PDB file of all heavy atoms in Angstrom:
ATOM      1  N   ALA A 355      -3.597  -2.469  -3.472  1.00 95.00           N
ATOM      2  CA  ALA A 355      -3.052  -3.474  -4.387  1.00 95.00           C
ATOM      3  C   ALA A 355      -4.221  -4.285  -4.871  1.00 95.00           C
ATOM      4  O   ALA A 355      -4.233  -4.742  -6.115  1.00 95.00           O
ATOM      5  CB  ALA A 355      -2.042  -4.288  -3.519  1.00 95.00           C
ATOM      6  N   ARG A 356      -5.197  -4.703  -4.062  1.00 96.00           N
ATOM      7  CA  ARG A 356      -6.353  -5.448  -4.510  1.00 96.00           C
ATOM      8  C   ARG A 356      -7.022  -4.814  -5.625  1.00 96.00           C
ATOM      9  O   ARG A 356      -7.354  -5.393  -6.753  1.00 96.00           O
ATOM     10  CB  ARG A 356      -7.269  -5.711  -3.453  1.00 96.00           C
ATOM     11  CG  ARG A 356      -6.959  -6.748  -2.415  1.00 96.00           C
ATOM     12  CD  ARG A 356      -8.203  -7.130  -1.457  1.00 96.00           C
ATOM     13  NE  ARG A 356      -7.915  -8.278  -0.763  1.00 96.00           N
ATOM     14  CZ  ARG A 356      -7.466  -8.359   0.475  1.00 96.00           C
ATOM     15  NH1 ARG A 356      -7.225  -7.206   1.118  1.00 96.00           N
ATOM     16  NH2 ARG A 356      -7.273  -9.549   1.123  1.00 96.00           N
ATOM     17  N   MET A 357      -7.324  -3.545  -5.427  1.00 97.00           N
ATOM     18  CA  MET A 357      -8.109  -2.795  -6.535  1.00 97.00           C
ATOM     19  C   MET A 357      -7.251  -2.752  -7.801  1.00 97.00           C
ATOM     20  O   MET A 357      -7.740  -3.018  -8.877  1.00 97.00           O
ATOM     21  CB  MET A 357      -8.298  -1.373  -5.955  1.00 97.00           C
ATOM     22  CG  MET A 357      -9.180  -0.586  -6.934  1.00 97.00           C
ATOM     23  SD  MET A 357      -8.177   0.370  -8.198  1.00 97.00           S
ATOM     24  CE  MET A 357      -7.394   1.598  -7.128  1.00 97.00           C
ATOM     25  N   GLU A 358      -5.978  -2.371  -7.650  1.00 97.00           N
ATOM     26  CA  GLU A 358      -5.147  -2.244  -8.902  1.00 97.00           C
ATOM     27  C   GLU A 358      -5.075  -3.623  -9.561  1.00 97.00           C
ATOM     28  O   GLU A 358      -5.067  -3.708 -10.911  1.00 97.00           O
ATOM     29  CB  GLU A 358      -3.720  -1.855  -8.493  1.00 97.00           C
ATOM     30  CG  GLU A 358      -3.685  -0.361  -8.055  1.00 97.00           C
ATOM     31  CD  GLU A 358      -2.285  -0.017  -7.594  1.00 97.00           C
ATOM     32  OE1 GLU A 358      -1.555  -0.912  -7.041  1.00 97.00           O
ATOM     33  OE2 GLU A 358      -1.916   1.117  -7.712  1.00 97.00           O
ATOM     34  N   LEU A 359      -4.845  -4.777  -8.874  1.00 98.00           N
ATOM     35  CA  LEU A 359      -4.757  -6.138  -9.404  1.00 98.00           C
ATOM     36  C   LEU A 359      -6.204  -6.430 -10.104  1.00 98.00           C
ATOM     37  O   LEU A 359      -6.165  -7.111 -11.212  1.00 98.00           O
ATOM     38  CB  LEU A 359      -4.356  -7.099  -8.443  1.00 98.00           C
ATOM     39  CG  LEU A 359      -3.001  -7.078  -7.877  1.00 98.00           C
ATOM     40  CD1 LEU A 359      -2.773  -7.847  -6.638  1.00 98.00           C
ATOM     41  CD2 LEU A 359      -1.989  -7.403  -8.994  1.00 98.00           C
ATOM     42  N   GLN A 360      -7.233  -6.155  -9.464  1.00 98.00           N
ATOM     43  CA  GLN A 360      -8.601  -6.316  -9.999  1.00 98.00           C
ATOM     44  C   GLN A 360      -8.767  -5.614 -11.372  1.00 98.00           C
ATOM     45  O   GLN A 360      -9.260  -6.252 -12.325  1.00 98.00           O
ATOM     46  CB  GLN A 360      -9.720  -6.066  -9.073  1.00 98.00           C
ATOM     47  CG  GLN A 360      -9.806  -6.916  -7.866  1.00 98.00           C
ATOM     48  CD  GLN A 360     -10.742  -6.382  -6.755  1.00 98.00           C
ATOM     49  OE1 GLN A 360     -11.400  -5.449  -7.058  1.00 98.00           O
ATOM     50  NE2 GLN A 360     -10.786  -6.971  -5.604  1.00 98.00           N
ATOM     51  N   VAL A 361      -8.373  -4.324 -11.284  1.00 98.00           N
ATOM     52  CA  VAL A 361      -8.537  -3.485 -12.604  1.00 98.00           C
ATOM     53  C   VAL A 361      -7.536  -4.125 -13.635  1.00 98.00           C
ATOM     54  O   VAL A 361      -8.062  -4.163 -14.852  1.00 98.00           O
ATOM     55  CB  VAL A 361      -8.147  -2.093 -12.273  1.00 98.00           C
ATOM     56  CG1 VAL A 361      -8.045  -1.253 -13.527  1.00 98.00           C
ATOM     57  CG2 VAL A 361      -9.291  -1.491 -11.395  1.00 98.00           C
ATOM     58  N   ALA A 362      -6.291  -4.402 -13.343  1.00 98.00           N
ATOM     59  CA  ALA A 362      -5.456  -4.929 -14.284  1.00 98.00           C
ATOM     60  C   ALA A 362      -5.927  -6.212 -14.970  1.00 98.00           C
ATOM     61  O   ALA A 362      -5.991  -6.344 -16.230  1.00 98.00           O
ATOM     62  CB  ALA A 362      -4.088  -5.177 -13.630  1.00 98.00           C
ATOM     63  N   VAL A 363      -6.383  -7.260 -14.204  1.00 98.00           N
ATOM     64  CA  VAL A 363      -6.828  -8.442 -14.756  1.00 98.00           C
ATOM     65  C   VAL A 363      -8.111  -8.158 -15.573  1.00 98.00           C
ATOM     66  O   VAL A 363      -8.253  -8.751 -16.784  1.00 98.00           O
ATOM     67  CB  VAL A 363      -7.120  -9.507 -13.552  1.00 98.00           C
ATOM     68  CG1 VAL A 363      -7.834 -10.747 -14.096  1.00 98.00           C
ATOM     69  CG2 VAL A 363      -5.797  -9.831 -12.956  1.00 98.00           C
ATOM     70  N   ALA A 364      -9.114  -7.499 -14.967  1.00 98.00           N
ATOM     71  CA  ALA A 364     -10.289  -7.192 -15.644  1.00 98.00           C
ATOM     72  C   ALA A 364     -10.141  -6.484 -17.056  1.00 98.00           C
ATOM     73  O   ALA A 364     -10.697  -6.807 -18.074  1.00 98.00           O
ATOM     74  CB  ALA A 364     -11.379  -6.410 -14.775  1.00 98.00           C
ATOM     75  N   THR A 365      -9.201  -5.532 -17.071  1.00 98.00           N
ATOM     76  CA  THR A 365      -8.947  -4.681 -18.259  1.00 98.00           C
ATOM     77  C   THR A 365      -8.297  -5.562 -19.297  1.00 98.00           C
ATOM     78  O   THR A 365      -8.690  -5.523 -20.496  1.00 98.00           O
ATOM     79  CB  THR A 365      -8.056  -3.499 -17.894  1.00 98.00           C
ATOM     80  OG1 THR A 365      -8.652  -2.655 -17.016  1.00 98.00           O
ATOM     81  CG2 THR A 365      -7.726  -2.698 -19.191  1.00 98.00           C
ATOM     82  N   LEU A 366      -7.383  -6.348 -18.964  1.00 98.00           N
ATOM     83  CA  LEU A 366      -6.688  -7.223 -19.967  1.00 98.00           C
ATOM     84  C   LEU A 366      -7.615  -8.345 -20.446  1.00 98.00           C
ATOM     85  O   LEU A 366      -7.649  -8.557 -21.663  1.00 98.00           O
ATOM     86  CB  LEU A 366      -5.436  -7.930 -19.275  1.00 98.00           C
ATOM     87  CG  LEU A 366      -4.271  -7.025 -18.904  1.00 98.00           C
ATOM     88  CD1 LEU A 366      -3.247  -7.848 -18.085  1.00 98.00           C
ATOM     89  CD2 LEU A 366      -3.728  -6.416 -20.199  1.00 98.00           C
ATOM     90  N   LEU A 367      -8.547  -8.808 -19.606  1.00 96.00           N
ATOM     91  CA  LEU A 367      -9.461  -9.802 -20.135  1.00 96.00           C
ATOM     92  C   LEU A 367     -10.488  -9.191 -21.175  1.00 96.00           C
ATOM     93  O   LEU A 367     -10.825  -9.706 -22.124  1.00 96.00           O
ATOM     94  CB  LEU A 367     -10.296 -10.378 -18.958  1.00 96.00           C
ATOM     95  CG  LEU A 367      -9.555 -11.431 -18.019  1.00 96.00           C
ATOM     96  CD1 LEU A 367     -10.513 -11.655 -16.864  1.00 96.00           C
ATOM     97  CD2 LEU A 367      -9.184 -12.677 -18.786  1.00 96.00           C
ATOM     98  N   ALA A 368     -10.936  -7.990 -20.723  1.00 96.00           N
ATOM     99  CA  ALA A 368     -11.935  -7.270 -21.558  1.00 96.00           C
ATOM    100  C   ALA A 368     -11.443  -6.661 -22.875  1.00 96.00           C
ATOM    101  O   ALA A 368     -12.011  -6.815 -23.894  1.00 96.00           O
ATOM    102  CB  ALA A 368     -12.670  -6.125 -20.888  1.00 96.00           C
TER     103      ALA A 368
END
Side-chain angles (χ1 to χ4, degrees):
R356 277 191 172 97
M357 183 273 289
E358 291 175 329
L359 291 165
Q360 290 169 8
V361 168
V363 172
T365 300
L366 292 172
L367 287 173

